[in-house]
Protein backbone atom coordinates (compact mmCIF):
# COMPACT_ATOMS: atom_id res chain seq x y z
CA UNK A 1 0.00 0.00 0.00
CA UNK A 2 1.30 3.44 -0.92
CA UNK A 3 2.10 5.95 1.81
CA UNK A 4 0.87 9.50 1.28
CA UNK A 5 3.79 11.87 0.84
CA UNK A 6 3.65 14.78 3.30
CA UNK A 7 7.31 15.89 3.51
CA UNK A 8 10.01 16.16 0.86
CA UNK A 9 13.52 17.59 0.81
CA UNK A 10 14.33 19.48 -2.38
CA UNK A 11 18.03 19.77 -3.24
CA UNK A 12 17.42 22.99 -5.15
CA UNK A 13 16.65 26.64 -4.49
CA UNK A 14 14.73 26.90 -7.78
CA UNK A 15 11.36 28.59 -7.19
CA UNK A 16 10.11 26.92 -10.38
CA UNK A 17 10.75 23.43 -9.00
CA UNK A 18 9.13 24.37 -5.72
CA UNK A 19 6.01 25.65 -7.50
CA UNK A 20 5.79 22.53 -9.66
CA UNK A 21 6.01 20.20 -6.66
CA UNK A 22 3.31 22.18 -4.87
CA UNK A 23 1.20 21.94 -8.00
CA UNK A 24 1.47 18.17 -7.67
CA UNK A 25 0.71 18.22 -3.92
CA UNK A 26 -0.42 21.61 -2.53
CA UNK A 27 -0.15 20.46 1.10
CA UNK A 28 3.37 19.12 0.68
CA UNK A 29 5.86 20.31 3.32
CA UNK A 30 9.03 21.18 1.42
CA UNK A 31 12.43 21.49 3.04
CA UNK A 32 14.77 23.41 0.75
CA UNK A 33 18.33 22.13 0.97
CA UNK A 34 20.30 23.48 -2.02
CA UNK A 35 23.43 21.56 -2.89
CA UNK A 36 26.66 23.43 -3.55
CA UNK A 37 28.53 21.44 -6.20
CA UNK A 38 30.92 22.11 -9.06
CA UNK A 39 28.83 22.41 -12.23
CA UNK A 40 31.72 23.11 -14.57
CA UNK A 41 31.46 21.65 -18.05
CA UNK A 42 33.63 18.62 -18.78
CA UNK A 43 34.91 18.70 -22.35
CA UNK A 44 33.48 15.89 -24.45
CA UNK A 45 30.92 14.84 -21.83
CA UNK A 46 27.55 13.94 -23.36
CA UNK A 47 24.67 16.09 -22.12
CA UNK A 48 22.71 13.05 -20.91
CA UNK A 49 25.71 11.95 -18.82
CA UNK A 50 26.22 15.47 -17.50
CA UNK A 51 22.65 15.91 -16.23
CA UNK A 52 22.72 12.55 -14.46
CA UNK A 53 26.14 13.24 -12.92
CA UNK A 54 25.04 16.63 -11.62
CA UNK A 55 21.67 15.42 -10.32
CA UNK A 56 23.36 12.56 -8.46
CA UNK A 57 25.99 14.90 -7.04
CA UNK A 58 23.31 17.31 -5.86
CA UNK A 59 21.35 14.50 -4.21
CA UNK A 60 24.39 13.14 -2.38
CA UNK A 61 25.66 16.55 -1.26
CA UNK A 62 22.26 17.55 0.09
CA UNK A 63 21.63 14.16 1.73
CA UNK A 64 24.89 14.36 3.68
CA UNK A 65 23.70 17.60 5.31
CA UNK A 66 20.48 16.07 6.66
CA UNK A 67 19.93 14.82 10.18
CA UNK A 68 18.76 11.20 10.67
CA UNK A 69 15.23 12.50 11.33
CA UNK A 70 15.27 14.50 8.11
CA UNK A 71 16.45 11.40 6.21
CA UNK A 72 13.17 9.74 7.10
CA UNK A 73 11.60 11.47 4.10
CA UNK A 74 12.58 11.37 0.42
CA UNK A 75 15.02 13.79 -1.15
CA UNK A 76 14.59 15.01 -4.71
CA UNK A 77 17.37 16.43 -6.88
CA UNK A 78 17.34 17.40 -10.54
CA UNK A 79 19.48 18.95 -13.23
CA UNK A 80 18.14 20.46 -16.44
CA UNK A 81 20.12 21.30 -19.57
CA UNK A 82 19.18 22.79 -22.92
CA UNK A 83 20.97 20.76 -25.59
CA UNK A 84 21.75 21.99 -29.10
CA UNK A 85 23.72 19.84 -31.53
CA UNK A 86 24.73 17.62 -28.62
CA UNK A 87 26.16 20.53 -26.63
CA UNK A 88 24.72 21.57 -23.28
CA UNK A 89 23.77 25.24 -23.01
CA UNK A 90 23.79 25.82 -19.26
CA UNK A 91 22.78 28.96 -17.37
CA UNK A 92 24.30 31.97 -19.15
CA UNK A 93 26.91 33.84 -17.14
CA UNK A 94 26.24 37.19 -18.80
CA UNK A 95 23.79 39.05 -21.08
CA UNK A 96 26.24 38.49 -23.93
CA UNK A 97 26.24 34.73 -23.41
CA UNK A 98 22.43 34.67 -23.17
CA UNK A 99 22.27 36.61 -26.45
CA UNK A 100 24.61 34.05 -28.03
CA UNK A 101 22.46 31.16 -26.79
CA UNK A 102 19.21 32.63 -28.14
CA UNK A 103 20.83 33.51 -31.45
CA UNK A 104 21.91 29.89 -31.84
CA UNK A 105 18.55 28.47 -30.72
CA UNK A 106 16.41 30.74 -32.92
CA UNK A 107 14.71 28.97 -35.80
CA UNK A 108 15.97 25.57 -34.70
CA UNK A 109 14.91 22.51 -32.76
CA UNK A 110 16.71 21.63 -29.54
CA UNK A 111 16.28 19.26 -26.63
CA UNK A 112 15.65 19.92 -22.96
CA UNK A 113 16.98 17.11 -20.79
CA UNK A 114 16.32 16.70 -17.09
CA UNK A 115 17.73 14.00 -14.85
CA UNK A 116 15.71 13.45 -11.67
CA UNK A 117 17.10 11.59 -8.66
CA UNK A 118 14.90 10.44 -5.78
CA UNK A 119 16.80 9.26 -2.71
CA UNK A 120 15.59 7.63 0.50
CA UNK A 121 17.43 5.80 3.25
CA UNK A 122 16.54 2.53 1.52
CA UNK A 123 17.14 3.21 -2.16
CA UNK A 124 18.00 5.72 -4.86
CA UNK A 125 16.28 5.91 -8.25
CA UNK A 126 16.76 8.17 -11.23
CA UNK A 127 15.34 8.86 -14.66
CA UNK A 128 16.11 11.00 -17.69
CA UNK A 129 13.40 12.93 -19.52
CA UNK A 130 13.93 14.58 -22.92
CA UNK A 131 11.60 17.09 -24.57
CA UNK A 132 11.95 18.35 -28.15
CA UNK A 133 11.48 22.11 -28.48
CA UNK A 134 11.29 24.18 -31.67
CA UNK A 135 12.01 27.88 -31.33
CA UNK A 136 10.79 30.19 -34.07
CA UNK A 137 13.10 32.51 -35.93
CA UNK A 138 13.96 35.63 -33.93
CA UNK A 139 15.31 38.94 -35.10
CA UNK A 140 18.11 40.63 -33.13
CA UNK A 141 15.77 43.29 -31.76
CA UNK A 142 13.51 40.61 -30.20
CA UNK A 143 16.49 38.95 -28.57
CA UNK A 144 17.80 42.28 -27.28
CA UNK A 145 14.39 43.18 -25.82
CA UNK A 146 14.12 39.79 -24.12
CA UNK A 147 17.61 40.04 -22.62
CA UNK A 148 16.65 43.45 -21.23
CA UNK A 149 13.88 41.80 -19.16
CA UNK A 150 16.59 39.78 -17.33
CA UNK A 151 14.29 36.76 -17.46
CA UNK A 152 17.18 34.76 -18.93
CA UNK A 153 19.04 34.80 -15.61
CA UNK A 154 19.42 31.42 -13.90
CA UNK A 155 17.70 29.66 -16.84
CA UNK A 156 19.29 26.83 -18.78
CA UNK A 157 19.67 27.94 -22.39
CA UNK A 158 18.89 31.52 -21.41
CA UNK A 159 15.11 31.39 -21.69
CA UNK A 160 12.00 30.59 -19.63
CA UNK A 161 9.18 28.84 -21.47
CA UNK A 162 6.81 29.70 -18.59
CA UNK A 163 7.62 33.39 -18.96
CA UNK A 164 7.80 35.86 -21.82
CA UNK A 165 9.86 33.44 -23.90
CA UNK A 166 6.66 31.42 -24.41
CA UNK A 167 6.16 33.75 -27.38
CA UNK A 168 9.29 32.27 -28.97
CA UNK A 169 8.27 28.61 -28.80
CA UNK A 170 6.74 27.22 -31.96
CA UNK A 171 6.38 23.57 -31.02
CA UNK A 172 7.11 21.15 -28.20
CA UNK A 173 7.04 17.36 -28.18
CA UNK A 174 7.05 15.76 -24.76
CA UNK A 175 6.79 17.04 -21.21
CA UNK A 176 6.08 20.75 -20.80
CA UNK A 177 6.96 20.70 -17.09
CA UNK A 178 10.31 19.22 -18.05
CA UNK A 179 11.10 22.40 -20.00
CA UNK A 180 10.08 24.48 -16.98
CA UNK A 181 12.56 22.48 -14.91
CA UNK A 182 10.94 19.38 -13.39
CA UNK A 183 9.02 16.65 -15.28
CA UNK A 184 6.12 16.02 -12.92
CA UNK A 185 4.99 12.77 -14.54
CA UNK A 186 8.46 11.31 -14.00
CA UNK A 187 8.56 12.58 -10.40
CA UNK A 188 5.18 10.96 -9.77
CA UNK A 189 6.40 7.63 -11.15
CA UNK A 190 9.59 7.74 -9.06
CA UNK A 191 7.59 8.47 -5.92
CA UNK A 192 5.25 5.57 -6.69
CA UNK A 193 8.25 3.31 -7.22
CA UNK A 194 9.46 4.28 -3.74
CA UNK A 195 6.06 3.58 -2.19
CA UNK A 196 4.61 7.09 -2.02
CA UNK A 197 1.54 8.73 -3.47
CA UNK A 198 0.68 12.42 -3.79
CA UNK A 199 -2.83 12.04 -5.20
Amino acid sequence: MLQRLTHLTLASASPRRQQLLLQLQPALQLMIQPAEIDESLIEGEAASIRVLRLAQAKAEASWQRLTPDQQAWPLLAADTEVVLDGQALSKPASPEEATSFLTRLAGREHQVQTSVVLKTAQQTSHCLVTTQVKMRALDPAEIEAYIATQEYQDKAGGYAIQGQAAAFIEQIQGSYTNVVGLPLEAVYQLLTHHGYTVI
Side-chain angles (χ1 to χ4, degrees):
M1 183 175 178
L2 295 177
Q3 175 184 1
R4 185 165 180 80
L5 184 70
T6 58
H7 295 71
L8 180 74
T9 299
L10 178 62
S12 171
S14 166
R16 298 171 298 284
R17 290 185 176 138
Q18 295 172 40
Q19 291 163 3
L20 286 168
L21 285 168
L22 292 174
Q23 178 182 324
L24 195 63
Q25 166 56 287
L28 185 62
Q29 296 296 307
L30 283 175
M31 185 173 76
I32 309 305
Q33 185 72 272
E36 299 297 330
I37 65 166
D38 182 3
E39 298 190 35
S40 301
L41 289 168
I42 296 177
E43 188 174 351
E45 184 179 37
S48 58
I49 301 299
R50 172 178 165 78
V51 292
L52 176 57
R53 174 176 63 83
L54 293 181
Q56 289 177 327
K58 290 175 183 178
E60 190 58 34
S62 182
W63 185 264
Q64 294 302 321
R65 295 169 60 190
L66 302 179
T67 67
D69 285 347
Q70 291 169 337
Q71 291 178 352
W73 293 99
L75 178 143
L76 185 77
D79 186 73
T80 299
E81 301 284 352
V82 168
V83 183
L84 180 67
D85 297 330
Q87 179 185 359
L89 305 183
S90 299
K91 300 170 184 176
S94 66
E96 292 75 21
E97 188 170 39
T99 299
S100 173
F101 285 176
L102 288 174
T103 300
R104 293 168 61 189
L105 292 168
R108 301 192 59 197
E109 187 174 274
H110 62 273
Q111 296 78 44
V112 176
Q113 293 189 333
T114 300
S115 182
V116 182
V117 173
L118 186 68
K119 183 176 179 62
T120 65
Q122 292 74 37
Q123 61 178 320
T124 300
S125 302
H126 65 84
C127 66
L128 175 69
V129 176
T130 301
T131 303
Q132 299 288 130
V133 181
K134 172 70 182 297
M135 188 175 285
R136 66 173 174 81
L138 303 173
D139 63 48
E142 286 181 295
I143 295 175
E144 182 180 358
Y146 181 71
I147 298 303
T149 70
Q150 300 189 346
E151 186 179 83
Y152 71 88
Q153 294 180 347
D154 198 39
K155 309 293 192 305
Y159 75 91
I161 194 173
Q162 74 278 15
Q164 294 185 48
F168 300 161
I169 306 305
E170 197 169 85
Q171 186 178 24
I172 128 177
Q173 292 179 301
S175 169
Y176 169 80
T177 57
N178 179 45
V179 186
V180 178
L182 193 65
L184 289 185
E185 68 287 351
V187 171
Y188 180 83
Q189 290 175 13
L190 284 176
L191 287 168
T192 300
H193 176 70
H194 281 251
Y196 294 98
T197 183
V198 293
I199 297 176

